[in-house]
């Protein structure tokens, strides 16, 4: 497969793309990003890389981080985790409250905010330094020790994260949050603020394309069953109320974030990260989805 040629074609085709999307502004620091940024990095299990555009500039990974916190928690806990959250698509916005109330404080899945807040609660219960644990996990699987939190983004979200505080309080009222709310919100906001570039994200997600192992040193991060389950969750729940649309148009397990990043994997073939900050009305990168749709159409490869 000539991925370089395919990416060049996509870059050419999309060079004059009229993008009606909007940069996220509910976290004020995110609105400062240059909306024209656009980069794609594809990393194959054979070890080759293919890229174009702004692939070396770091951005806020936001909800993509939920895949990392889920991975850490699944390494620790067995099926008990699923007593505290479900594995069903929500069909609702990532920060929706009403479904959570109707379902007695049990999040639909780990990839909406309520689910990720329960994961943060578990990290607080299990580790003395949960933020360091998260950062070290990401640094290890990507092989990039300089990856860090973006302090400004974390503080900005902390000052405007009232809806996440509402979700955490609602779940606490149902007994599904064990720790102090401000402590777990702090972990969650820092987790979302992690800054990575497309190349680093594609490398980190290689674990999910490579049967749970780091490609360069074969370290097993997740056993095959766990990685299959995480991929199933990315397929069904990785794009909030647009998971069906992403499966229909792109057809890969993946995860998006309101920083404009999307990472997707083709099991045993590649991982691919795309960044374009303008979002559609569901909070997913508009050009990112378009790019990945063209990638899977042009390669003709499908997991289905
Ligand atoms: N930090 C964001 C929030 O909690 C993450 C949302 C997202 O990327 N979808 O609202």
């Amino acid at each position: 497969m000539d991925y370089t040629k395919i990416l060049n074609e996509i870059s050419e085709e999309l060079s004059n793309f009229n993008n009606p999307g909007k940069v996220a502004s509910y976290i004020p620091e995110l609105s400062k990003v240059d909306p024209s940024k656009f980069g794609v990095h594809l990393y194959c299990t054979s070890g080759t890389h293919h890229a174009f555009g702004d692939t070396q500039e770091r951005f806020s990974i936001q909800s993509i981080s939920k895949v990392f916190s889920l991975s850490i928690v699944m390494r620790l806990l067995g099926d008990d985790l699923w007593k505290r959250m479900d594995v069903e698509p929500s069909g609702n916005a990532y920060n929706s409250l009403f479904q959570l109330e109707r379902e007695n404080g049990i999040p639909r899945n780990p990839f909406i905010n309520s689910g990720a807040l329960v994961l943060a609660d578990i990290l607080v219960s299990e580790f003395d330094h949960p933020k360091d644990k998260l950062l070290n996990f990401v640094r290890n699987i990507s092989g990039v020790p300089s990856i860090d939190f973006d302090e400004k983004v974390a503080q900005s979200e902390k000052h405007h994260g009232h809806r996440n505080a509402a979700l955490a309080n609602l779940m606490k009222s149902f007994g599904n949050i064990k720790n102090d709310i401000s402590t777990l919100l702090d972990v969650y906001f820092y987790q979302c603020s992690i800054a990575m570039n497309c190349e680093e994200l594609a490398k980190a997600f290689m674990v999910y394309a490579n049967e749970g192992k780091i490609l360069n040193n074969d370290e097993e991060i997740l056993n095959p069953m766990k990685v299959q389950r995480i991929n199933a969750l990315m397929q069904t729940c990785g794009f909030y109320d647009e998971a069906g649309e992403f499966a229909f148009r792109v057809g890969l397990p993946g995860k998006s974030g309101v920083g404009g990043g999307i990472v997707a994997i083709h099991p045993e073939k590649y991982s691919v990260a795309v960044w374009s900050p303008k979002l559609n009305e569901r909070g997913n990168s508009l050009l990112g989805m378009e790019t990945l749709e063209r990638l899977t159409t042009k390669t003709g490869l499908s997991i289905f």
Side-chain angles (χ1 to χ4, degrees), residues 171-216:
M171 289 191 287
K172 187 137 183 134
S173 78
F174 285 107
N176 200 15
I177 291 290
K178 315 289 179 205
N179 296 286
D180 170 60
I181 290 194
S182 62
T183 309
L184 71 96
L185 283 176
D186 180 67
V187 171
Y188 175 76
F189 294 145
Y190 272 87
Q191 162 194 326
C192 290
S193 85
I194 292 174
M196 292 170 76
N197 65 34
C198 286
E199 178 171 3
E200 291 161 351
L201 276 169
K203 276 172 127 179
F205 268 66
M206 185 45 73
V207 162
Y208 308 98
N210 189 42
E211 299 175 320
K213 289 187 276 207
I214 296 179
L215 193 65
N216 291 341

Side-chain angles (χ1 to χ4, degrees), residues 59-73:
F59 58 94
S60 191
I61 69 167
Q62 293 295 315
S63 275
I64 296 170
S65 66
K66 290 168 181 160
V67 182
F68 302 139
S69 60
L70 176 64
S71 301
I72 297 171
V73 168

Side-chain angles (χ1 to χ4, degrees), residues 26-27 61-64 66 94-95 113 157 164 188-189 192 240 255-259 283:
Y26 75 102
I27 301 169
I61 69 167
Q62 293 295 315
S63 275
I64 296 170
K66 290 168 181 160
Y94 53 85
N95 55 8
N113 288 15
E157 187 160 4
N164 286 317
Y188 175 76
F189 294 145
C192 290
Y240 326 115
K255 187 73 201 81
S256 67
V258 292

Side-chain angles (χ1 to χ4, degrees), residues 79-214:
D79 282 343
D80 277 355
L81 170 61
W82 308 114
K83 292 181 185 145
R84 292 181 66 180
M85 65 183 71
D86 209 339
V87 292
E88 291 298 335
S90 66
N92 282 294
Y94 53 85
N95 55 8
S96 169
L97 279 151
F98 75 92
Q99 189 174 53
L100 190 61
E101 157 127 64
R102 212 177 44 221
E103 298 182 355
N104 302 320
I106 302 293
R108 271 289 171 110
N109 66 66
F111 293 154
I112 50 175
N113 288 15
S114 51
L117 288 163
V118 172
L119 293 174
D121 188 48
I122 294 168
L123 293 178
V124 172
S125 297
E126 298 284 335
F127 298 105
D128 290 339
H129 302 286
K131 291 193 277 187
D132 290 349
K133 182 74 201 174
L134 269 160
L135 212 45
N136 289 334
F137 179 82
V138 178
R139 288 171 175 171
N140 181 36
I141 62 169
S142 61
V144 184
S146 64
I147 290 170
D148 215 336
F149 301 119
D150 182 325
E151 189 65 37
K152 283 190 182 151
V153 172
Q155 291 305 327
S156 182
E157 187 160 4
K158 197 173 259 193
H159 291 122
H160 295 86
H162 310 301
R163 191 167 265 271
N164 286 317
L167 289 166
N169 276 288
L170 184 59
M171 289 191 287
K172 187 137 183 134
S173 78
F174 285 107
N176 200 15
I177 291 290
K178 315 289 179 205
N179 296 286
D180 170 60
I181 290 194
S182 62
T183 309
L184 71 96
L185 283 176
D186 180 67
V187 171
Y188 175 76
F189 294 145
Y190 272 87
Q191 162 194 326
C192 290
S193 85
I194 292 174
M196 292 170 76
N197 65 34
C198 286
E199 178 171 3
E200 291 161 351
L201 276 169
K203 276 172 127 179
F205 268 66
M206 185 45 73
V207 162
Y208 308 98
N210 189 42
E211 299 175 320
K213 289 187 276 207
I214 296 179

